[in-house]
Amino acid sequence: AILLPFVPLAAVQIVFLNLIYDFCCGAIPWDNVDKEFIQKPRKWEHKSIFKFMLWFGPISSVVDILTFMILFYVFIPSIFEMQYKQIKDESVQIEFKQMFWTGWLVVSMWTQTIII
């Protein structure tokens, strides 16, 4: 996001993503647990969470960077037939940003769905 000449998501999109994520996580308390898991207390296995985060963090960052690059340098410029820096008209720049925001919103929703 530091390399982009604009903010990667509009504020309303961030709020929308958080609301969708919170709504989806709202079902977790009503999840049914297998009976063998509640028969006796279990030891908390922090190592499995640590291993998951060691893989998940870098993979998530790579997906984000690839998405930014593909949207900003390949997909959206193919629609406008020019790179963002070449656009002189402010209304076209705004349209470029909106296309980027839409693409990033869709990818963010998919990655959040996969995480849940």
Side-chain angles (χ1 to χ4, degrees), residues 80 87-98:
F80 288 93
I87 300 172
K88 303 296 182 204
D89 186 10
E90 189 175 330
S91 64
V92 178
Q93 285 181 344
I94 291 170
E95 198 174 330
F96 189 101
K97 286 187 230 181
Q98 291 172 341

Side-chain angles (χ1 to χ4, degrees), residues 9-63:
L9 275 178
V12 70
Q13 290 175 313
I14 294 170
V15 171
F16 179 71
L17 278 172
N18 286 334
L19 286 173
I20 295 294
Y21 187 74
D22 292 345
F23 179 73
C24 292
C25 289
I28 292 174
W30 288 276
D31 186 23
N32 292 327
V33 180
D34 295 337
K35 290 191 182 217
E36 60 266 8
F37 283 101
I38 59 175
Q39 295 297 325
K40 63 178 182 173
R42 296 190 172 268
K43 184 178 178 185
W44 185 53
E45 296 182 25
H46 66 281
K47 291 180 183 179
S48 64
I49 295 172
F50 184 70
K51 287 179 187 177
F52 173 76
M53 291 312 295
L54 279 178
W55 282 100
F56 177 73
I59 289 172
S60 176
S61 296
V62 167
V63 168

Side-chain angles (χ1 to χ4, degrees), residues 7 10 14 27 37 47 72 84-85 110 112:
V7 180
I14 294 170
F37 283 101
K47 291 180 183 179
F72 190 75
Y84 183 79
K85 292 178 182 178
W110 275 105
Q112 282 189 359

